[in-house]
């Protein structure tokens, strides 16, 4: 077995520890990368919970989107920019457009059925193993807002983060 040198002893060897864009050892913190890899899915589940709990309790699309955005900020801080080699590649303009389309459509859809703008309908149905489930149409509006907020946060990370990384690269090359 090859013994690692003192400069590469903390390099990740497992695929799940690697970020989408590997930076050199001087710019990364293994502890932060590991914490981000374990916390990221948990924070996303919390954001989905906030999205669906928003009708009856505190939460909704905006707060759920902000929590999901913070998960992506943590991932960015730990692993650098996410490029095409990341496991899930999301295009921020597509998320923004999709979220805006879903939110606008769900707001104006009741007008086609003789209702009012932003009117909410509640549907209840029984599922054999789960019991009675309630579906509120305002979840569609909240889902659109959720996607919109996540898209804006990812776009900010892409825009601001690329400028910061370009400045750091230029400073390292001595061009500043």
């Amino acid at each position: 077995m090859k013994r690692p040198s003192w400069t590469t002893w903390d390099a990740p060897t497992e695929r799940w520890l690697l970020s989408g864009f590997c930076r050199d050892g001087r710019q990364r913190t293994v502890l932060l990368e590991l914490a981000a890899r374990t916390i990221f899915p948990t924070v996303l589940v919390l954001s989905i919970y906030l999205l669906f709990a928003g009708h009856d309790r505190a939460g909704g699309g905006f707060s759920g989107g902000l929590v999901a955005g913070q998960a992506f900020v943590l991932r960015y801080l730990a692993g650098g920019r996410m490029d095409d080699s990341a496991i899930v590649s999301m295009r921020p303009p597509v998320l923004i457009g999709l979220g805006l389309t879903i939110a606008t459509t769900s707001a104006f859809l009741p007008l086609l059925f003789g209702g009012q703008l932003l009117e909410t309908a509640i549907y209840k149905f029984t599922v054999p193993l789960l019991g009675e489930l309630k579906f509120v149409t305002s979840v569609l509006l909240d889902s659109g807002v959720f996607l919109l907020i996540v898209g804006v946060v990812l776009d900010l990370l892409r825009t601001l983060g690329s400028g910061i990384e370009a400045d750091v690269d230029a400073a390292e090359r001595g061009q500043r």
Side-chain angles (χ1 to χ4, degrees):
M1 182 171 163
K2 184 180 171 185
R3 213 173 135 176
S5 71
W6 68 274
T7 58
T8 60
W9 67 271
D10 66 338
T13 57
E14 301 286 330
R15 173 72 183 132
W16 69 277
L17 290 174
L18 297 175
S19 62
F21 178 75
C22 294
R23 299 184 288 182
D24 61 3
R26 292 175 291 143
Q27 296 180 346
R28 55 185 277 279
T29 305
V30 175
L31 184 61
L32 182 59
E33 282 187 38
L34 182 61
R37 295 256 172 229
T38 55
I39 292 172
F40 181 75
T42 307
V43 174
L44 285 183
V45 169
L46 174 65
S47 72
I48 298 295
Y49 168 76
L50 287 173
L51 170 66
F52 288 115
H55 180 69
D56 294 327
R57 292 177 289 283
F62 188 77
S63 60
L66 285 178
V67 169
Q70 291 304 313
F72 286 107
V73 168
L74 176 65
R75 185 172 175 181
Y76 174 80
L77 289 174
R81 68 179 170 89
M82 292 183 287
D83 61 351
D84 292 334
S85 65
I87 294 173
V88 177
S89 182
M90 290 184 251
R91 304 286 179 232
V94 172
L95 285 177
I96 293 170
L98 183 65
L100 193 57
T101 302
I102 291 172
T104 305
T105 303
S106 67
F108 284 103
L109 196 60
L111 293 175
L112 295 176
F113 298 105
Q116 295 179 354
L117 185 69
L118 292 170
E119 186 175 340
T120 299
I122 299 174
Y123 300 102
K124 294 181 181 180
F125 35 116
T126 305
V127 178
L129 293 175
L130 299 175
E132 186 178 79
L133 294 178
K134 179 172 76 168
F135 177 75
V136 182
T137 57
S138 64
V139 168
L140 296 175
L141 178 73
D142 282 338
S143 298
V145 171
F146 179 88
L147 290 174
L148 180 69
I149 297 299
V150 169
V152 167
V153 169
L154 288 175
D155 197 33
L156 283 171
L157 282 177
R158 183 182 66 169
T159 304
L160 296 175
S162 64
I164 292 169
E165 288 179 358
D167 288 346
V168 168
D169 290 342
E172 286 178 356
R173 289 190 307 264
Q175 295 179 354
R176 273 196 107 171

